[in-house]
Amino acid sequence: MKAMVLKEHSLIGTSGKKPLESALLPIPVPAPDQLLIKVSVCGICRTEIDEIEGRLVPPKVPIVPGHEIVGRVQAVGSQVRKHKPGDRVGVAWIHSSCGRCSFCTRGDENLCDDFRATGLHANGGYAEYTVVSQDFAYPIPQGFTDSKAAPHLSSRLWSLSTFLLLLHSV
């Protein structure tokens, strides 16, 4: 699959370097609790700029950034029950967490010791495909185009919280 990969940090527009490089990567295989998503769009958030310029450092490079993802489920792992192939879903900042600790059980997964961020700890949406835990893929309402929905999946909690409230009211 085609992907844009961050291999080293550099200031955008001032260093003469292109911070993201085009690469061919294998299509990821979903784990038992994951979805394989064919990415339609992925927004650009300030978080990606901070990652590219080195203010937010991924634990490993190369990494595929991007966490404002909208796409369609292509395949599901053997334990997935919340989604099926063809579903249109969005993926935000949280890629995965343990799901069992006190933080996770009260909805504060970003505080979990096993928290992993989309596009920082796990490859994100600047690619043709990505994988994510079924618990962190959100159905996208029909009233939103993919490109209109993607920015609402920002890590900026006010945006995501508002979007999730809207989702549950539809």
Side-chain angles (χ1 to χ4, degrees):
M1 71 172 176
K2 296 178 201 169
M4 295 303 290
V5 176
L6 175 65
K7 291 189 175 180
E8 65 177 304
H9 305 287
S10 67
L11 295 177
I12 296 173
T14 61
S15 66
K17 293 182 182 179
K18 291 184 179 180
L20 299 176
E21 295 181 25
S22 180
L24 290 176
L25 302 176
I27 294 174
V29 176
D33 68 331
Q34 290 182 328
L35 313 173
L36 173 66
I37 299 168
K38 180 163 181 40
V39 175
S40 169
V41 298
C42 186
I44 299 172
C45 178
R46 178 66 196 199
T47 305
E48 276 83 45
I49 295 170
D50 287 341
E51 189 176 334
I52 290 165
E53 293 190 333
R55 288 179 295 278
L56 182 61
V57 180
K60 67 172 182 79
V61 288
I63 189 80
V64 176
H67 68 269
E68 296 176 1
I69 305 165
V70 177
R72 295 228 177 243
V73 176
Q74 294 295 298
V76 298
S78 61
Q79 298 172 3
V80 171
R81 302 291 178 258
K82 296 180 180 182
H83 303 280
K84 63 186 182 316
D87 286 354
R88 190 170 75 131
V89 297
V91 179
W93 181 238
I94 301 175
H95 181 270
S96 62
S97 69
C98 81
R100 297 175 305 279
C101 71
S102 62
F103 295 119
C104 288
T105 57
R106 70 175 189 231
D108 291 327
E109 295 92 343
N110 59 310
L111 301 175
C112 175
D113 286 342
D114 293 333
F115 163 82
R116 295 182 68 216
T118 307
L120 181 69
H121 302 107
N123 284 337
Y126 292 178
E128 292 180 290
Y129 294 89
T130 193
V131 291
V132 70
S133 166
Q134 68 176 333
D135 294 331
F136 300 105
Y138 307 101
I140 302 296
Q142 289 293 329
F144 286 92
T145 64
D146 292 354
S147 59
K148 296 279 187 189
H152 294 283
L153 295 158
S154 172
S155 63
R156 308 296 183 219
L157 294 180
W158 64 267
S159 178
L160 179 58
S161 297
T162 303
F163 187 67
L164 292 177
L165 284 173
L166 178 64
L167 257 175
H168 294 295
S169 69
V170 173

